Amino acid sequence: MMSTQPDYPNCQADEHLGDDMHSTNASPPFSLITEIEVAIAVIVFKDKYLLARRQAHQHQGDKFEFVGGKIESGEQAKSALLREVKEELGLELQIEQLTKLGRIEHFYADQPDTLPSEQSTEKGSKEVSKISQPAGKRVHLHVYRVSLSLPQFGDFSTRDYGLEGQPIIWVNQLDLLAGCYPLPDANLPILTWLKLPETVCITQALSHFMQLDEQERVRQDWVDYHAAHLPQEAWVYLRPQLSRLTEPEQMGLSVASNISAAILSESTIGDNDSYNDLKSNLDGKQKRALNCQQQALLELASTLKASTALLQQRADIKGIVSIALDTLLDTFLNELLDNFLTNLFKAEPKYSAQSIMMNHDKERMPERLVKACFDECIKPYLDTYNDLLNPLIALGQIAAQHLTHQSLLALVAGLQLNESSDTNQNDDNQNYINQNDDPLDNDLRDYKTLLAFHVCKQIASAIKLPIIVSCHDEKSVRAANLLARWRINNHQVPIMAAFISPVLPTLTHPNQQALGWSRFAELSQLAEVPVIALGGLSPTDIAEALKHEAVAVAGIRQFLH
């Protein structure tokens, strides 16, 4: 690079990824919002990414950014991207070089109190008013990865400035992901997306080794098989499915702290005080719910033990592990929450449903009640789950956690997320929360929904790793979009990707109708996060997947050497 190029910062820990002191996605009341639609080009050649640097006088000045600009009225995002890249860099792109990554909505609250005049309006903004009131800017980013050819990279690799005089630089992927080049707040989820590989392996089910009689032998053979057959530096969704084996009846889970090592060495965990104390206050239905939670934790303990052994043998691979929320959310929303509320109103009449729901500020919930509900219905499970998972995370090889189709829908329902234009989505959420015969009266049912929101918010906030969700239809894709926005709005680690499946018929789910590439492309286009194609595919299908708006392919048999 030429010596006239501006100085660039030294690498720093990526603390800024979740620390946003000047921006928020919650629009202030009575604010005047400047809406901006922007197309973003993540230009890449092998492990090199092209960044520009914003001028000091611009909003988010002196930060680095990916090339892009405003989408004009009536213009498609891809067309806008091709035009902007040509205007800013003089680079002619073909639409086939673009791969959709996702869409991001971000609200900046650090704008001047008076909206800018027409003359000083930043490029791409729409003037709303000149009245002096709290103002903000909401950007909608349409993000695409742009893969350059060798001649294109050769032409631009030695350039220091774009056509508009903006400094440009090629940076190494590791440095970019490490936070060496600070980006505008709205761009930060892109860094999580860029970690994705083009292929994701999925482990065989334990039933593949069921001809063996001894459980420990089956598990060891599962570990040895995948240690030998997984590609180098593979990303792997770890799903041993050990529940297909018969676990010893005496095995259980202790909710006490510092038990991880004991659990993973097959110690017993069934008769723990936390669960037994809860069961003493529950009727038969709620006791069965707690038993279901314990059984899910049994399965998880054995699953994570096998996963830990595999990662210890293969330090080069990255793992994706289950968040294991299916049973927890189902039992909480449909059984344990009812019991908690019924006992609450009997013990403390001042917290009656009628008195709370008549309050004009219905969004508020006494903090003590939320904590009590969380501690009783959720904490025993999550504490045990974290004790099981922490040794695996300590290996430094877990790239993401996986949320199943069922868990995704339940979590979105509990958070009461809905699109304002889609009333059916809201109805679906209410039906999920109250899908069983509900003996509660209307006021108590409303109170239940409100308390479910606050507790599910704590559950969702407890997920500290990037999330990969599973989607099979339009409803689940929309749910993934809603959860993705919620996590960005609340400064949580973003959703990394969505598995959309099955693209083609599979041996593992022979009775499930395949989407086909055409329908898959429609769902992928709807998704606001990167999409991984799954079902009946092989690594050689990556080119076809890219044509249909996916960034990667995943599978089992064809992905193991």
Side-chain angles (χ1 to χ4, degrees):
M1 292 294 176
M2 297 173 57
S3 59
T4 56
Q5 189 170 358
D7 292 333
Y8 294 104
N10 294 324
C11 291
Q12 303 171 358
D14 55 352
E15 296 175 337
H16 66 280
L17 294 183
D19 183 13
D20 185 358
M21 297 300 294
H22 300 292
S23 67
T24 175
N25 280 341
S27 303
F30 309 113
S31 63
L32 301 173
I33 307 301
T34 306
E35 301 279 357
I36 308 176
E37 298 285 340
V38 177
I40 297 293
V42 181
I43 299 176
V44 59
F45 179 77
K46 295 184 177 179
D47 66 342
K48 303 291 185 182
Y49 288 84
L50 183 64
L51 297 179
R53 194 167 195 176
R54 297 179 67 82
Q55 302 294 339
H57 68 274
Q58 291 180 295
H59 178 239
Q60 301 276 308
D62 284 331
K63 287 193 175 182
F64 293 85
E65 66 179 354
F66 298 107
V67 176
K70 183 207 172 187
I71 302 173
E72 302 290 351
S73 178
E75 190 176 29
Q76 296 295 317
K78 288 185 177 181
S79 300
L81 193 65
L82 299 180
R83 174 182 54 74
E84 286 288 342
V85 171
K86 183 177 180 180
E87 291 175 359
E88 294 188 19
L89 301 176
L91 178 59
E92 294 272 3
L93 296 175
Q94 302 300 316
I95 201 165
E96 292 78 15
Q97 294 178 264
L98 276 55
T99 301
K100 182 184 76 68
L101 289 178
R103 293 185 290 276
I104 301 169
E105 179 182 290
H106 192 95
F107 181 81
Y108 288 98
D110 54 347
Q111 298 299 288
D113 287 342
T114 302
L115 290 177
S117 66
E118 183 175 0
Q119 290 76 17
S120 62
T121 298
E122 185 179 0
K123 179 183 179 182
S125 66
K126 295 186 294 186
E127 184 183 62
V128 177
S129 174
K130 299 178 184 177
I131 301 174
S132 180
Q133 290 189 23
K137 179 170 69 174
R138 181 159 43 232
V139 293
H140 307 264
L141 305 182
H142 302 253
V143 186
Y144 293 86
R145 184 176 63 201
V146 180
S147 301
L148 295 192
S149 64
L150 179 59
Q152 288 173 323
F153 175 72
D155 186 24
F156 275 83
S157 61
T158 58
R159 297 191 186 186
D160 293 330
Y161 293 91
L163 297 183
E164 298 177 347
Q166 73 277 30
I168 59 175
I169 182 176
W170 286 95
V171 304
N172 181 275
Q173 182 181 29
L174 292 178
D175 292 337
L176 176 63
L177 298 182
C180 298
Y181 301 91
L183 301 173
D185 302 320
N187 285 197
L188 297 181
I190 300 174
L191 298 183
T192 298
W193 298 348
L194 295 184
K195 297 176 183 179
L196 285 167
E198 284 195 341
T199 58
V200 176
C201 304
I202 299 176
T203 58
Q204 291 275 11
L206 223 10
S207 58
H208 191 73
F209 304 88
M210 286 295 287
Q211 64 271 24
L212 301 175
D213 294 330
E214 298 180 10
Q215 175 180 320
E216 192 60 37
R217 171 85 179 277
V218 172
R219 182 157 43 211
Q220 188 58 51
D221 275 33
W222 179 94
V223 171
D224 292 343
Y225 173 83
H226 290 99
H229 290 86
L230 284 169
Q232 286 294 312
E233 299 183 352
W235 278 45
V236 189
Y237 175 31
L238 301 161
R239 53 169 204 110
Q241 293 185 339
L242 287 160
S243 59
R244 300 192 182 193
L245 296 176
T246 302
E247 296 281 356
E249 288 293 328
Q250 71 274 17
M251 184 178 179
L253 292 177
S254 173
V255 186
S257 59
N258 301 320
I259 59 162
S260 303
I263 290 175
L264 295 177
S265 63
E266 297 286 338
S267 78
T268 60
I269 23 171
D271 301 323
N272 61 80
D273 292 338
S274 297
Y275 273 112
N276 288 336
D277 288 345
L278 287 178
K279 288 180 182 179
S280 64
N281 296 318
L282 300 177
D283 60 21
K285 184 178 180 181
Q286 277 81 39
K287 286 182 181 179
R288 286 193 296 273
L290 266 297
N291 287 334
C292 286
Q293 286 192 13
Q294 286 185 294
Q295 183 58 42
L297 290 168
L298 281 173
E299 177 183 339
L300 183 64
S302 197
T303 295
L304 293 183
K305 179 177 181 180
S307 299
T308 301
L310 175 59
L311 293 184
Q312 288 173 334
Q313 286 195 37
R314 288 289 304 273
D316 60 298
I317 64 177
K318 295 291 186 182
I320 303 167
V321 296
S322 173
I323 303 179
L325 292 182
D326 300 57
T327 301
L328 174 64
L329 288 166
D330 183 59
T331 54
F332 168 63
L333 293 175
N334 297 301
E335 291 164 330
L336 298 179
L337 183 55
D338 288 353
N339 182 79
F340 174 84
L341 288 174
T342 300
N343 291 338
L344 170 68
F345 296 137
K346 288 179 180 177
E348 301 190 53
K350 67 177 180 178
Y351 287 126
S352 69
Q354 291 81 0
S355 65
I356 293 292
M357 298 314 294
M358 287 176 61
N359 190 314
H360 293 295
D361 189 3
K362 294 182 180 180
E363 295 303 314
R364 301 193 62 183
M365 173 73 66
E367 184 177 340
R368 186 172 71 86
L369 296 190
V370 176
K371 184 179 185 304
C373 183
F374 182 86
D375 288 349
E376 177 177 314
C377 302
I378 304 298
K379 195 172 185 295
Y381 186 99
L382 286 188
D383 282 353
T384 308
Y385 171 73
N386 287 328
D387 282 335
L388 291 168
L389 187 62
N390 285 338
L392 200 56
I393 293 177
L395 296 175
Q397 295 171 248
I398 301 302
Q401 291 176 276
H402 176 249
L403 198 61
T404 66
H405 178 270
Q406 179 181 346
S407 288
L408 169 65
L409 295 179
L411 189 57
V412 168
L415 290 169
Q416 302 176 59
L417 298 177
N418 65 86
E419 295 175 303
S420 58
S421 60
D422 186 357
T423 56
N424 291 331
Q425 177 75 28
N426 189 49
D427 291 341
D428 289 338
N429 291 351
Q430 298 301 322
N431 290 337
Y432 193 99
I433 294 175
N434 300 295
Q435 62 182 337
N436 293 335
D437 293 335
D438 195 342
L440 309 177
D441 60 33
N442 290 335
D443 286 328
L444 189 52
R445 187 177 295 111
D446 290 340
Y447 194 96
K448 173 185 175 182
T449 302
L450 183 59
L451 185 56
F453 162 73
H454 287 280
V455 174
C456 284
K457 182 178 179 180
Q458 293 194 30
I459 296 173
S461 299
I463 304 171
K464 300 303 183 183
L465 294 175
I467 301 173
I468 297 179
V469 301
S470 281
C471 301
H472 304 311
D473 50 29
E474 182 175 338
K475 178 181 178 181
S476 54
V477 171
R478 291 188 181 278
N481 292 344
L482 294 168
L483 184 60
R485 294 177 211 161
W486 185 89
R487 290 191 68 80
I488 292 175
N489 291 349
N490 289 275
H491 308 296
Q492 303 292 322
V493 178
I495 291 184
M496 176 178 276
F499 289 120
I500 294 184
S501 66
V503 181
L504 302 177
T506 67
L507 294 176
T508 53
H509 299 87
N511 297 323
Q512 187 172 355
Q513 184 176 358
L515 296 168
W517 281 115
S518 178
R519 180 56 178 161
F520 170 85
E522 293 175 356
L523 295 178
S524 183
Q525 181 59 39
L526 179 64
E528 296 179 3
V529 298
V531 169
I532 302 171
L534 170 64
L537 305 179
S538 74
T540 59
D541 289 310
I542 183 61
E544 191 69 21
L546 292 174
K547 293 178 184 177
H548 292 85
E549 306 287 357
V551 301
V553 291
I556 307 174
R557 294 165 180 81
Q558 300 298 321
F559 290 75
L560 300 173
H561 291 330

